[in-house]
Amino acid sequence: MLITVAYLYIYLMRWVRRRSDAMKRLQLINAIRKSLRCSSIQLQKTNRSCILSSGTNMSLAPGPTDWCSNLQTLVGNELVNVEVMLEKSNVRIYAIEPKLIVPLNGWTSYLLNQSPFDGEKSRDIVFVILELMQCNHEVQRNQVTKLEELVNLVAWKSGRSFQAVAECTENGFCQLTRSFLDNCLVAQELLEVTSITSIDVRGQPDKMIPGASGSQTSLSHFQKLSGIQSSSDFNNSSQQLDQDCKEELSGMYSDSDCAGEAPAEPLEEIAPEMLTPVTRKENLHGKPPNVLVYCGKKDSSRLFENVRSIFAQCLNTDKYTVYHLKHDQVKTTPWLDNTTLLIISSDKVYDGVDEVFLKYFLEGGTVVSFGSSFDAKFVTRIQTNSKSSILTLSYENWSDATFICGRHVYETSLKSLLCDVTLTCLAQDKHRGNPVILEAVHETSGGVALLSQVNFDKDPSEMAISQDIFTILKLSNSIRFEILRSLFRRLGIDSDQPVLPSLTPIVLLSCSSKSKQQFFKSLSSRLKDGHLVSKDVTLQFITDDISLSAINVTSSVIPVITDAQRISILFDFAVYKANLKTKLIGNVMFYADVITTTMNLIESLMFSLPADVGLVAVATRQTAGVGRGGNAWLSPPGCAMFSLHLRVPQRSLLGERIPFLQHIVSLAVVLGVRQKPGYENLDLCIKWPNDIYYGASMKLGGNIVKSSIMNDIIHANIGCGVNVANKDPTICINDLIQMANETSRDDSKWLNLLSTEEVIALSLNCLEDLVEKFQSDGPDGFKRLYYRYWLHGNQRVRLNSEDGPEATVIGLDEFGFLLVRLSNGQMESVQPDGNSFDMMRNLIAPKSN
């Protein structure tokens, strides 16, 4: 027992120390941010001879650093103030006022054809002088930050040490500081950065060859000029730094600010991993635009169900899918690049998830926060109540509506706590005048956050402390939704509500009367009064002259019209039949204009179907389509959506390797289009494990396979969806065809647009052919064909997380799993079930449901 307590005490002390060190570093970074505009920040290795002493007057120790020895020239006769921000055994950081000015005459430009500052300097640009020497210690490969990834080199000068002037962003300078403190900042050929100083520049550097033009001169070219010999080759693969603080920050530092201005409040914490500047990304990942809702740590599933219906009424559900971002998924699931909008619906955020949310914002993400402590990252909040209350809101044309509000309001000065973030008041408490809804815009990345102390995410029933208050809130409830839609539109989110179509009957279609008879014969033993009952749906077969107007369609009971002549449908079965060349698959079809999901239809019938009936279910629209891992599948018109039943003997080449089936389905869709004459060059590809992509950029479709075994037969329920003629929410096959026609401009090579009927039929043709060849020849021939269209050959990936082990994708193993080679040479198979491939991060990670 005593030993356990001792271990717990040691662990706690270490955790407290790490936390304290991290907080010190975060405060240091923020102090540097505030001082950059009006001071020079110098980072210096203490083994260098140019050391500044703290005090009113600046003293310079003699040393070899050329520009440092001329520092008095840079500031003229002005009084120079030097403050020590950090002093450690190996590193010192100084704030020097006034800011140093470096004339660039006598320096040589890196760019041979232009000056780097022909235009006006951006507010976010910081110029720095770098001093570089050959590394005199071993730098571990997995602990290296490349200088070239953080700065743009502008000019150079050789001497007893190599010097360079570079430009970077303010965030980039903070990242330089972190890497410098961790002693892992190197340039090409493992040159060590021994000094970094922020400066202002005047004039222009000389060109190496006046009047010449060319590409940027590499840093390694100037090692010869400075007498620096080449070290070992730099590893070209970018390694991600460990985000934990590796160095102990036990020294003293000051919270320096601009001259004559003392900090009025504690420094805001900014996580180190959030300092790298990233331009705002376009939605090129190809997945349906996802809206993620974070509901806190406790009881979050119940809370999410409450708010999902609210947000679904304010979003175009044909374009967005609302998902629950669970607390334990925030740091483990690669969601940042797959999210259009993040909604924070929790008053408290725990365990540092607010830092991840801030990173998403700083990288150009869009965030809406309802009464959350996340707001304190942006602006000072003032507590006005001990618990939730109500207020009357003044917003745009609404001035008398009453809503639930949180415990805080925002300070009226609207002073941003973050650099390069502009705050705008959108709404006020009508009676007190306090700001209660703010818009925060990041000037560099374009990130936008709506910060609201009005709890639009809460239903009036949650504040029903009296009948009067409940009534007041209910009277404003419709306005609550109007304002929510207005706020979403302000963010560029489509809030138009689609008119959900009514469910329609199923129509039974067949390529021959024989296949139709076989289908009915197989079901005869299960029909009771014309009804076939299954777990998820009951099919009511209509064989007589019942009036169609008397038929009622629900999600649980769906009529099946057996005489296709009695009803008009949106599917051209003649086109489908003309393109279908299979022996079996797709010879009988269940078709519905609108249905919940086609997967349920196949599941209800597959154990009753004989071997000579290849049933396929097709819909023009689905209201509850399902993707892999429980994902929702948006199903607008123009998307080819179908499910089919496939029988595979368990003791067969494919039956013993059933994971190959999802790869066969993906390849069948790609080949169905690309084997059509003239369409061979359409850039349709396969992304592991089951996605159809345009190149490596955007998702076009995917498939899901569910299988069960009965009497040594594997019954596979295969669902597939492919964007054929629907441009939203991402891209479709006809977009690629139109692009090919515009690029070619050759009438003889003109390609006709494809219909969903054609794509389904062509895909089924290839599916049947691929299955037959696999059963006769085994996996080797299939894999050779599959590799021609997949995206991952020799791709470098990380397993499980962004800090997980690196591996190289080799291909598919003998059972259809992904085969990778670890850095130690060991081969490992990765199963698709439970994992997803985040292509933007080259990450194979667990897929959370």
Side-chain angles (χ1 to χ4, degrees), residues 575-719:
V575 173
Y576 167 82
K577 185 176 178 180
N579 284 275
L580 189 70
K581 308 299 180 184
T582 63
K583 302 171 187 175
L584 177 65
I585 296 178
N587 61 5
V588 176
M589 177 184 290
F590 271 180
Y591 171 78
D593 287 341
V594 183
I595 200 169
T596 53
T597 171
T598 56
M599 294 287 287
N600 288 349
L601 300 181
I602 298 298
E603 187 172 357
S604 66
L605 294 170
M606 63 182 183
F607 295 121
S608 302
L609 296 174
D612 56 353
V613 173
L615 179 65
V616 60
V618 177
T620 292
R621 294 203 67 175
Q622 293 184 128
T623 60
V626 178
R628 181 174 168 266
N631 286 337
W633 180 265
L634 298 181
S635 307
C639 180
M641 296 167 290
F642 59 96
S643 299
L644 62 104
H645 171 241
L646 190 67
R647 297 164 56 98
V648 181
Q650 186 179 2
R651 294 180 176 85
S652 66
L653 289 174
L654 180 56
E656 294 170 350
R657 303 165 178 83
I658 203 64
F660 270 103
L661 186 53
Q662 63 182 331
H663 308 313
I664 292 175
V665 177
S666 297
L667 182 59
V669 175
V670 171
L671 288 181
V673 175
R674 295 189 64 167
Q675 285 187 348
K676 186 176 174 66
Y679 295 75
E680 299 87 352
N681 294 325
L682 293 183
D683 197 9
L684 287 180
C685 301
I686 300 168
K687 170 180 166 288
W688 182 88
N690 63 340
D691 288 335
I692 315 297
Y693 258 62
Y694 159 53
S697 302
M698 304 184 75
K699 183 175 178 177
L700 279 159
N703 72 78
I704 179 175
V705 178
K706 298 180 178 181
S707 57
S708 304
I709 300 178
M710 178 178 289
N711 299 330
D712 295 329
I713 297 294
I714 299 174
H715 294 265
N717 184 3
I718 302 169

Side-chain angles (χ1 to χ4, degrees), residues 333-402:
T333 303
W335 58 269
L336 285 86
D337 292 320
N338 297 324
T339 302
T340 294
L341 173 65
L342 170 66
I343 299 175
I344 305 173
S345 180
S346 175
D347 58 343
K348 296 180 180 179
V349 287
Y350 303 88
D351 305 329
V353 298
D354 53 343
E355 297 172 357
V356 182
F357 296 158
L358 183 59
K359 176 183 179 183
Y360 173 68
F361 165 78
L362 293 175
E363 292 182 355
T366 304
V367 183
V368 177
S369 169
F370 293 112
S372 171
S373 58
F374 175 69
D375 298 5
K377 292 286 186 183
F378 295 81
V379 65
T380 299
R381 305 187 306 169
I382 302 171
Q383 183 171 338
T384 56
N385 298 289
S386 59
K387 57 184 179 180
S388 296
S389 59
I390 62 174
L391 62 73
T392 302
L393 187 69
S394 177
Y395 171 70
E396 292 187 349
N397 298 325
W398 296 280
S399 59
D400 294 315
T402 303

Side-chain angles (χ1 to χ4, degrees), residues 435-468:
V436 289
I437 303 179
L438 303 181
E439 180 183 63
V441 178
H442 192 271
E443 299 172 4
T444 304
S445 69
V448 182
L450 286 184
L451 313 175
S452 174
Q453 284 298 316
V454 182
N455 293 120
F456 294 112
D457 56 332
K458 293 187 182 299
D459 188 83
S461 60
E462 298 183 47
M463 193 65 185
I465 57 178
S466 71
Q467 185 65 37
D468 291 340

